[in-house]
Amino acid sequence: MILGIGTDLANIERITGTLDRFGDRFKKRVFTETERAKAERRKDVAGTYAKRWAAKEACSKALGTGLAMGISWKDMAVSNLKTGQPVMEVTGWAKERLDEMTPPGHEAIIHVTLTDDHPWAQAFVVIEARPLPA
């Protein structure tokens, strides 16, 4: 069953301006060490950050909270499987909210997809509740 759906569209040029203006202060406030390392290895640094920004926004929407209800930016983190597939991990208050939404006898699976076409980066998040094996 679907527990939540969220999407977000981020302007890469806006993220570029934020990176230019605030640099490491912005990066360290919003992104985990793993996310920063991934972005800094990429040719399109700002595009990578923009996709992850959009993913965090989309995840907060799928959790039904937005970012105004206590979720920290770093409570949601995007990493990649060896295949390149993005995955979302939640900790802290975001994890508490996910656990609260998940019906008994189910596990929550967060699906995330990212895309960009300059100047836009987009993320889509679906939270699924899957029955636990009997």
Side-chain angles (χ1 to χ4, degrees):
M1 96 183 60
I2 303 299
L3 298 178
I5 299 172
T7 188
D8 193 67
L9 186 65
N11 185 292
I12 296 169
E13 292 175 4
R14 179 174 166 244
I15 296 297
T16 298
T18 301
L19 290 168
D20 290 345
R21 186 169 177 199
F22 298 105
D24 283 343
R25 190 171 69 168
F26 168 70
K27 294 174 193 177
K28 289 179 180 178
R29 187 177 133 251
V30 175
F31 302 100
T32 65
E33 190 173 316
T34 300
E35 290 172 312
R36 293 191 312 266
K38 172 78 172 184
E40 298 300 325
R41 286 192 310 265
R42 302 295 301 265
K43 181 179 178 185
D44 183 9
V45 172
T48 303
Y49 279 122
K51 285 186 281 190
R52 278 147 180 76
W53 171 280
K56 291 168 186 276
E57 288 274 8
C59 185
S60 72
K61 292 171 185 174
L63 289 168
T65 63
L67 285 157
M69 294 183 66
I71 293 178
S72 164
W73 286 103
K74 290 185 185 179
D75 285 349
M76 302 164 288
V78 178
S79 61
N80 297 84
L81 301 177
K82 289 183 185 212
T83 61
Q85 177 184 346
V87 292
M88 177 70 71
E89 180 183 353
V90 293
T91 58
W93 199 89
K95 173 73 168 119
E96 290 175 24
R97 172 66 181 146
L98 181 64
D99 291 345
E100 180 183 290
M101 318 171 42
T102 305
H106 290 74
E107 65 176 332
I109 310 293
I110 302 175
H111 304 277
V112 60
T113 187
L114 309 172
T115 190
D116 65 293
D117 186 7
H118 197 87
W120 301 106
Q122 184 176 28
F124 193 77
V125 171
V126 175
I127 302 175
E128 170 191 11
R130 197 177 287 171
L132 293 170

